[in-house]
Amino acid sequence: MVIFALYAVLLVGLGLWDARHARSPEAYFVNNRASGAWQVGLSITASCVGGSATIGMAGLAWQIGTPAFWWLGSGACGLLLLTFALARKVRASGALTLPELIGQRLGRQARTLASLIIVLAWSAILAAQFTAMGQLTASLTGLDPALALPAGAALIVLYALLGGQASVIRSDVPQFLLLFGGLCLTLGWLFVHNPHPMFSVEVEALNEGFGPSKFIYFFIIIGGSYVVCPMLFGRVLSARDERTARRGGLIGAGWLVVTAVVIVLVGLGCRSLLPAGSTPDSVLTAVQGLLPPWIGMALMVSLLSAVLSSADSCLITAATVLCHDLLHTERLPVCRGVTLALGGLGYLLATRGHGILDLLLMANDVYVCGVVLPVFWGLMLPMTRHIPHRTATAAMLAGGAGGLASALLGLPEAGYMGLFASLVCLAPTAFACRDARQPAM
């Protein structure tokens, strides 16, 4: 309880401090575009290494071995593509959000459609993070789960609401350090007490448990979600300048790779410590009970930091898009009210179980298949060309339909077909000469 209380006081204090300076839309949405390269990079890493990545990736490594690296490794590749191909253009745009940038290049209809999908998808991801936060809060405080969930959710909403993007980025740096430190302490203990699984495992990119089809899915769907991501674009747009944005992306990609290696080694080190019937998602929580108390507590704080750093990013991303791109307002009281409302929605979804949440998480598949390719295509085109409004909307709908079919049927091939259909819609624009006028936003 003491550790959770200290953590809460620190975060709320940070939110109150940043609230004194968050008096403009740029301050609330993009940290006054004042973030340094290390702030951008570590914030990207902290936001990407959430509870699902940490717990899920360690469990996957325990189950299938070193190919689990591609959970974050594919994301690092996508982030590198964002860094080298798009970061300078994104930062130079002067936009506040990804959908605003979509409006500049693809038109008003595409901006609205993408905004709706983003708000739905990121609200669902927020709800999933709230669920994990409730479980960790209960473990740290001893509170009943029915009280731990609202306590954890309230902490996330409160400091994000007060300071906006500034609080999120500032808190991401210490949260990542706590996350990485806890994992390294756990790895150190495992290395001393159970080194054999780490040294005896064969280093593989693919194996029977992770074949070519899964590798393709990770690279296209998961990696693609890093190339055009409203959360990551928010970090790029918060950078001081274009050079800082690019350096921040490189730092983030490097730390994603390092963190992925550490998590995989932790998962491997848990082999032979747990019974064969253990479920992959329970690996880290099960091994926590075998660690010395102070290392076990460090691991719990590490997981708490992972969840917090992802949840606050999801919340501020959804709130920013809803305010700026759907409600078309930049009044800070309204933005804070929207942040509170979305936090309440995320909490309600978390309490409803997985029925509604699974439906809304389909929006993430729709986003990746429907939004990523048209936006990447539009940003890569020379400024003398742009995608016609109807073509952009058709490409989004075609890709999104494939993503929805993939989620409903459990067939990744449907998502690939959607991406191909989107590509067919977009291909003629690569050769059609147009003037440099921007489409209406």
Side-chain angles (χ1 to χ4, degrees):
M1 176 65 82
V2 174
I3 291 176
F4 181 81
L6 289 174
Y7 213 140
V9 169
L10 175 64
L11 292 177
V12 174
L14 184 62
L16 288 169
W17 175 264
D18 288 323
R20 299 170 56 193
H21 307 284
R23 298 178 180 178
S24 69
E26 286 208 342
Y28 196 80
F29 294 154
V30 290
N31 191 27
N32 272 324
R33 305 194 195 276
S35 303
W38 279 94
Q39 273 188 315
V40 171
L42 292 183
S43 182
I44 285 174
T45 310
S47 299
C48 294
V49 186
S52 59
T54 308
I55 295 171
M57 191 173 171
L60 190 62
W62 176 82
Q63 184 179 39
I64 68 167
T66 57
F69 168 82
W70 295 117
W71 187 311
L72 287 177
S74 60
C77 293
L79 179 55
L80 285 174
L81 182 56
L82 163 61
T83 300
F84 287 113
L86 302 180
R88 290 183 182 275
K89 293 183 178 181
V90 171
R91 178 59 184 85
S93 71
L96 291 177
T97 63
L98 168 60
E100 181 182 348
L101 196 56
I102 292 174
Q104 293 175 5
R105 296 295 287 162
L106 305 181
R108 183 185 296 112
Q109 289 181 334
R111 177 182 182 178
T112 301
L113 181 59
S115 299
L116 287 169
I117 294 172
I118 288 168
V119 170
L120 286 173
W122 265 255
S123 295
I125 297 169
L126 173 66
Q129 297 292 342
F130 277 177
T131 300
M133 181 67 181
Q135 295 169 351
L136 291 171
T137 301
S139 298
L140 275 171
T141 63
L143 287 173
D144 184 271
L147 296 175
L149 176 59
L155 172 60
I156 293 167
V157 173
L158 183 56
Y159 82 87
L161 176 152
L162 290 170
Q165 193 75 270
S167 289
V168 171
I169 290 177
R170 289 179 195 274
S171 64
D172 276 348
V173 175
Q175 283 170 354
F176 174 72
L177 295 177
L178 288 171
L179 160 66
F180 191 73
L183 290 172
C184 286
L185 283 173
T186 303
L187 178 60
W189 187 87
L190 290 170
F191 185 81
V192 172
H193 291 83
N194 193 39
H196 178 70
M198 286 180 271
F199 286 108
S200 61
V201 71
E202 183 179 353
V203 178
E204 304 169 300
L206 303 173
N207 59 23
E208 291 184 2
F210 192 91
S213 62
K214 287 188 177 180
F215 180 81
I216 292 170
Y217 175 83
F218 271 56
F219 252 80
I220 293 178
I221 303 300
I222 296 181
S225 69
Y226 282 70
V227 179
V228 177
C229 173
M231 198 161 64
L232 301 188
F233 272 41
R235 300 302 186 275
V236 171
L237 290 167
S238 75
R240 291 194 190 106
D241 50 40
E242 297 167 32
R243 183 171 177 269
T244 301
R246 193 166 186 176
R247 286 183 59 214
L250 291 174
I251 291 169
W255 277 106
L256 272 181
V257 170
V258 172
T259 306
V261 171
V262 171
I263 295 174
V264 167
L265 289 174
V266 168
L268 293 174
C270 293
R271 287 180 168 180
S272 79
L273 291 178
L274 304 177
S278 301
T279 59
D281 285 347
S282 69
V283 167
L284 281 187
T285 52
V287 82
Q288 189 260 346
L290 304 177
L291 299 170
W294 66 279
I295 297 181
M297 186 58 67
L299 178 59
M300 290 299 294
V301 171
S302 173
L303 297 177
L304 179 66
S305 299
V307 173
L308 278 167
S309 59
S310 289
D312 58 13
S313 297
C314 291
L315 176 58
I316 205 66
T317 295
T320 300
V321 170
L322 181 54
C323 281
H324 185 64
D325 301 291
L326 291 176
L327 300 179
H328 300 291
T329 180
E330 296 177 354
R331 295 176 57 204
L332 290 187
V334 176
C335 296
R336 290 193 169 104
V338 165
T339 304
L340 180 62
L342 285 174
L345 173 63
Y347 170 73
L348 288 175
L349 291 173
T351 62
R352 295 291 180 181
H354 291 289
I356 297 175
L357 185 56
D358 287 342
L359 289 174
L360 287 178
L361 281 171
M362 291 179 186
N364 190 53
D365 293 291
V366 174
Y367 170 80
V368 173
C369 294
V371 176
V372 170
L373 182 58
V375 175
F376 182 78
W377 191 280
L379 288 174
M380 291 302 294
L381 283 179
M383 292 302 292
T384 53
R385 299 175 185 171
H386 70 262
I387 302 174
H389 299 188
R390 291 182 180 178
T391 301
T393 304
M396 283 189 175
L397 291 174
L404 181 60
S406 175
L408 289 172
L409 303 176
L411 295 174
E413 294 80 7
Y416 305 151
M417 291 176 63
L419 287 169
F420 179 74
S422 180
L423 181 62
V424 169
C425 293
L426 295 168
T429 64
F431 308 101
C433 294
R434 296 183 175 274
D435 59 38
R437 289 177 298 173
Q438 298 295 323
M441 294 172 59

